[in-house]
Amino acid sequence: MSMAERILVVAHNHPDLHPGGTEIFAHDLFRAYQRRGGEALFLGATNRLHRDEKPGTSFQGIGKGEDEILLWAGHFDRFFMSQVDLYGVIPDLEELLTEFRPDVVHIHHLLLIGAEFPALVRRVLPKARIVMTLHDYYLICAHDGLMMRTTGRERCHGASPDRCHGCFPEVGADQFLLRERYLKTLLSTVDRFVSPSEFLRDRFIAWGLDGNRIDVIANGQPAPGAIPLRPRDESAPRNVFGYFGNLNPWKGGTVLLDAAERLIDAGVDFELRVHGGTPFQADAFKTELDERFQRTRSHVVRRGAYRREDVPRLMAAVDWVVVPSIWWENAPLVIQEAQQQGRPVIVSGIGGMAEMVEHGVNGLTVAPDDPIDLARAMRQAAADPELWRRLAEAATRPPTIDDVAGRYLTLFEALVREPVQA
């Protein structure tokens, strides 16, 4: 496959509208394909949370060029991950596929686009290769792909119709069985899956996907710009911690603030800078956060939402980056961003996070949802400058996005040589 072949990159939103990890990575990869000589088109899906409908067309423009478009998908069945407005959306998608005629369709999510999309590609373009990167558990779990039980804060170790019915008593077990079979049938048209972590790959194998069809390719980062270490006296501690990311019940923000409160009560000298907003969160959760920020205001600075281009400058002001998520994170970009900048991380030792950080080697791992253990690790980090130096020097630099694009293009080339599946 030559680098001039056409690639359609598909995501469930656009980073200019919703700067989540999946959208950011998909868009970075799209640009990397273009730098390597490919003709690439980015298709993001959105709904009324970000854009109003424009009658007469499913598509909207975004950005300054013609190589990025949005599919407005305001009528979507999140349970079956299915388009409701088939008569409106499908013909427009068919026209797009027919006009652009991609050789490879690289899907990063089916949310809003619709689980029918791979089968549509196969029907319209029988010779096109379909690759799907698995970024989370939406296909497995109807609880927003979290694999967290709907009551309490229990992580789910595996989905089944009966277990899922326990989370959603109003939905019969037969509906969960139907959902699973429906999605697996549509996924059978995908030529190859890619997972950024072994953990996520194992979860999808346990769900029923063929492990021989799932490659592991780590996410990547744009080439870094050097940022300075935080100015300090050499004898002073490395005791400024940073949190980066949206604040929601699963990212562990309340756990982090509870740990900070414990450190304050113990008289520990530290500062915590919390970067991130609370988009689309319930008022009760916002109130819970506000109360914790109020109690810890002597040592905690609430910095609010930020832009991606601000990350290097904001990370320059901290010594440690804390990722206290309580759900099975797959491959958080913030860990790569921190380690790319030589900032050691303190993370929950579960999911893909445990693959990215080896305790005591290139960071510290703590028990998830445990403010006592997190406070212990932060206290150790703040008191031991030598620990910071050793972990910072061993920080695992992530692959560049161009290197990752090269791995994907090699995969695409191999798939092109294989016969198209029936």
Side-chain angles (χ1 to χ4, degrees), residues 155-170:
R155 284 173 295 281
C156 181
H157 292 264
S160 70
D162 287 332
R163 187 167 176 81
C164 295
H165 171 62
C167 277
F168 296 93
E170 71 280 8

PDB file of all heavy atoms in Angstrom, residues 155-170:
ATOM      1  N   ARG A 155     -15.873  -1.863  40.622  1.00  0.00           N
ATOM      2  CA  ARG A 155     -15.452  -2.124  39.250  1.00  0.00           C
ATOM      3  C   ARG A 155     -15.994  -3.476  38.806  1.00  0.00           C
ATOM      4  O   ARG A 155     -16.027  -4.432  39.566  1.00  0.00           O
ATOM      5  CB  ARG A 155     -13.922  -2.114  39.145  1.00  0.00           C
ATOM      6  CG  ARG A 155     -13.330  -0.707  39.166  1.00  0.00           C
ATOM      7  CD  ARG A 155     -11.821  -0.726  39.243  1.00  0.00           C
ATOM      8  NE  ARG A 155     -11.347  -1.292  40.499  1.00  0.00           N
ATOM      9  CZ  ARG A 155     -11.312  -0.638  41.656  1.00  0.00           C
ATOM     10  NH1 ARG A 155     -11.746   0.614  41.704  1.00  0.00           N
ATOM     11  NH2 ARG A 155     -10.871  -1.206  42.752  1.00  0.00           N
ATOM     12  N   CYS A 156     -16.408  -3.538  37.537  1.00  0.00           N
ATOM     13  CA  CYS A 156     -16.982  -4.755  36.988  1.00  0.00           C
ATOM     14  C   CYS A 156     -15.895  -5.564  36.298  1.00  0.00           C
ATOM     15  O   CYS A 156     -15.123  -5.025  35.505  1.00  0.00           O
ATOM     16  CB  CYS A 156     -18.091  -4.410  35.993  1.00  0.00           C
ATOM     17  SG  CYS A 156     -18.890  -5.854  35.275  1.00  0.00           S
ATOM     18  N   HIS A 157     -15.846  -6.852  36.585  1.00  0.00           N
ATOM     19  CA  HIS A 157     -14.800  -7.712  36.036  1.00  0.00           C
ATOM     20  C   HIS A 157     -15.248  -8.468  34.798  1.00  0.00           C
ATOM     21  O   HIS A 157     -14.438  -9.175  34.184  1.00  0.00           O
ATOM     22  CB  HIS A 157     -14.306  -8.693  37.106  1.00  0.00           C
ATOM     23  CG  HIS A 157     -13.565  -8.028  38.221  1.00  0.00           C
ATOM     24  ND1 HIS A 157     -12.190  -7.937  38.255  1.00  0.00           N
ATOM     25  CD2 HIS A 157     -14.007  -7.392  39.330  1.00  0.00           C
ATOM     26  CE1 HIS A 157     -11.817  -7.279  39.342  1.00  0.00           C
ATOM     27  NE2 HIS A 157     -12.906  -6.946  40.013  1.00  0.00           N
ATOM     28  N   GLY A 158     -16.489  -8.326  34.403  1.00  0.00           N
ATOM     29  CA  GLY A 158     -16.944  -9.013  33.211  1.00  0.00           C
ATOM     30  C   GLY A 158     -18.434  -8.838  33.002  1.00  0.00           C
ATOM     31  O   GLY A 158     -19.207  -8.857  33.962  1.00  0.00           O
ATOM     32  N   ALA A 159     -18.831  -8.664  31.742  1.00  0.00           N
ATOM     33  CA  ALA A 159     -20.237  -8.427  31.435  1.00  0.00           C
ATOM     34  C   ALA A 159     -20.940  -9.736  31.098  1.00  0.00           C
ATOM     35  O   ALA A 159     -20.355 -10.646  30.524  1.00  0.00           O
ATOM     36  CB  ALA A 159     -20.362  -7.467  30.258  1.00  0.00           C
ATOM     37  N   SER A 160     -22.204  -9.819  31.478  1.00  0.00           N
ATOM     38  CA  SER A 160     -23.080 -10.912  31.080  1.00  0.00           C
ATOM     39  C   SER A 160     -24.504 -10.359  31.115  1.00  0.00           C
ATOM     40  O   SER A 160     -24.764  -9.361  31.804  1.00  0.00           O
ATOM     41  CB  SER A 160     -22.961 -12.106  32.031  1.00  0.00           C
ATOM     42  OG  SER A 160     -23.523 -11.799  33.296  1.00  0.00           O
ATOM     43  N   PRO A 161     -25.452 -10.956  30.388  1.00  0.00           N
ATOM     44  CA  PRO A 161     -26.818 -10.423  30.405  1.00  0.00           C
ATOM     45  C   PRO A 161     -27.398 -10.296  31.808  1.00  0.00           C
ATOM     46  O   PRO A 161     -28.030  -9.282  32.139  1.00  0.00           O
ATOM     47  CB  PRO A 161     -27.580 -11.440  29.559  1.00  0.00           C
ATOM     48  CG  PRO A 161     -26.563 -11.960  28.591  1.00  0.00           C
ATOM     49  CD  PRO A 161     -25.294 -12.031  29.386  1.00  0.00           C
ATOM     50  N   ASP A 162     -27.187 -11.303  32.655  1.00  0.00           N
ATOM     51  CA  ASP A 162     -27.747 -11.240  34.004  1.00  0.00           C
ATOM     52  C   ASP A 162     -27.059 -10.173  34.850  1.00  0.00           C
ATOM     53  O   ASP A 162     -27.707  -9.446  35.604  1.00  0.00           O
ATOM     54  CB  ASP A 162     -27.632 -12.604  34.689  1.00  0.00           C
ATOM     55  CG  ASP A 162     -28.617 -13.616  34.121  1.00  0.00           C
ATOM     56  OD1 ASP A 162     -29.686 -13.194  33.639  1.00  0.00           O
ATOM     57  OD2 ASP A 162     -28.309 -14.825  34.137  1.00  0.00           O
ATOM     58  N   ARG A 163     -25.748 -10.096  34.734  1.00  0.00           N
ATOM     59  CA  ARG A 163     -25.012  -9.113  35.530  1.00  0.00           C
ATOM     60  C   ARG A 163     -25.374  -7.694  35.080  1.00  0.00           C
ATOM     61  O   ARG A 163     -25.536  -6.797  35.902  1.00  0.00           O
ATOM     62  CB  ARG A 163     -23.510  -9.361  35.397  1.00  0.00           C
ATOM     63  CG  ARG A 163     -22.652  -8.500  36.330  1.00  0.00           C
ATOM     64  CD  ARG A 163     -21.221  -9.033  36.375  1.00  0.00           C
ATOM     65  NE  ARG A 163     -20.354  -8.188  37.178  1.00  0.00           N
ATOM     66  CZ  ARG A 163     -20.273  -8.221  38.505  1.00  0.00           C
ATOM     67  NH1 ARG A 163     -21.048  -9.069  39.173  1.00  0.00           N
ATOM     68  NH2 ARG A 163     -19.442  -7.442  39.165  1.00  0.00           N
ATOM     69  N   CYS A 164     -25.488  -7.497  33.773  1.00  0.00           N
ATOM     70  CA  CYS A 164     -25.863  -6.168  33.269  1.00  0.00           C
ATOM     71  C   CYS A 164     -27.294  -5.803  33.685  1.00  0.00           C
ATOM     72  O   CYS A 164     -27.584  -4.645  33.995  1.00  0.00           O
ATOM     73  CB  CYS A 164     -25.717  -6.125  31.761  1.00  0.00           C
ATOM     74  SG  CYS A 164     -24.009  -6.304  31.178  1.00  0.00           S
ATOM     75  N   HIS A 165     -28.176  -6.801  33.696  1.00  0.00           N
ATOM     76  CA  HIS A 165     -29.546  -6.579  34.170  1.00  0.00           C
ATOM     77  C   HIS A 165     -29.530  -6.133  35.639  1.00  0.00           C
ATOM     78  O   HIS A 165     -30.367  -5.321  36.059  1.00  0.00           O
ATOM     79  CB  HIS A 165     -30.365  -7.855  34.004  1.00  0.00           C
ATOM     80  CG  HIS A 165     -31.715  -7.807  34.651  1.00  0.00           C
ATOM     81  ND1 HIS A 165     -32.692  -6.898  34.286  1.00  0.00           N
ATOM     82  CD2 HIS A 165     -32.252  -8.565  35.646  1.00  0.00           C
ATOM     83  CE1 HIS A 165     -33.767  -7.097  35.036  1.00  0.00           C
ATOM     84  NE2 HIS A 165     -33.524  -8.097  35.863  1.00  0.00           N
ATOM     85  N   GLY A 166     -28.580  -6.649  36.416  1.00  0.00           N
ATOM     86  CA  GLY A 166     -28.460  -6.215  37.811  1.00  0.00           C
ATOM     87  C   GLY A 166     -28.125  -4.740  37.928  1.00  0.00           C
ATOM     88  O   GLY A 166     -28.535  -4.081  38.879  1.00  0.00           O
ATOM     89  N   CYS A 167     -27.371  -4.203  36.950  1.00  0.00           N
ATOM     90  CA  CYS A 167     -27.054  -2.771  36.960  1.00  0.00           C
ATOM     91  C   CYS A 167     -28.233  -1.939  36.474  1.00  0.00           C
ATOM     92  O   CYS A 167     -28.416  -0.802  36.910  1.00  0.00           O
ATOM     93  CB  CYS A 167     -25.832  -2.506  36.070  1.00  0.00           C
ATOM     94  SG  CYS A 167     -24.243  -2.784  36.874  1.00  0.00           S
ATOM     95  N   PHE A 168     -29.007  -2.505  35.552  1.00  0.00           N
ATOM     96  CA  PHE A 168     -30.150  -1.794  34.977  1.00  0.00           C
ATOM     97  C   PHE A 168     -31.393  -2.673  35.107  1.00  0.00           C
ATOM     98  O   PHE A 168     -31.805  -3.343  34.153  1.00  0.00           O
ATOM     99  CB  PHE A 168     -29.888  -1.463  33.504  1.00  0.00           C
ATOM    100  CG  PHE A 168     -28.735  -0.523  33.281  1.00  0.00           C
ATOM    101  CD1 PHE A 168     -27.457  -1.016  33.043  1.00  0.00           C
ATOM    102  CD2 PHE A 168     -28.921   0.850  33.312  1.00  0.00           C
ATOM    103  CE1 PHE A 168     -26.388  -0.167  32.836  1.00  0.00           C
ATOM    104  CE2 PHE A 168     -27.855   1.715  33.110  1.00  0.00           C
ATOM    105  CZ  PHE A 168     -26.591   1.209  32.872  1.00  0.00           C
ATOM    106  N   PRO A 169     -32.010  -2.726  36.283  1.00  0.00           N
ATOM    107  CA  PRO A 169     -33.155  -3.623  36.510  1.00  0.00           C
ATOM    108  C   PRO A 169     -34.327  -3.369  35.571  1.00  0.00           C
ATOM    109  O   PRO A 169     -35.133  -4.278  35.322  1.00  0.00           O
ATOM    110  CB  PRO A 169     -33.546  -3.337  37.970  1.00  0.00           C
ATOM    111  CG  PRO A 169     -32.330  -2.728  38.591  1.00  0.00           C
ATOM    112  CD  PRO A 169     -31.658  -1.974  37.497  1.00  0.00           C
ATOM    113  N   GLU A 170     -34.425  -2.161  35.046  1.00  0.00           N
ATOM    114  CA  GLU A 170     -35.535  -1.840  34.161  1.00  0.00           C
ATOM    115  C   GLU A 170     -35.344  -2.411  32.757  1.00  0.00           C
ATOM    116  O   GLU A 170     -36.277  -2.383  31.936  1.00  0.00           O
ATOM    117  CB  GLU A 170     -35.720  -0.320  34.081  1.00  0.00           C
ATOM    118  CG  GLU A 170     -34.634   0.426  33.331  1.00  0.00           C
ATOM    119  CD  GLU A 170     -33.366   0.671  34.142  1.00  0.00           C
ATOM    120  OE1 GLU A 170     -33.260   0.136  35.265  1.00  0.00           O
ATOM    121  OE2 GLU A 170     -32.496   1.417  33.654  1.00  0.00           O
TER     122      GLU A 170
END
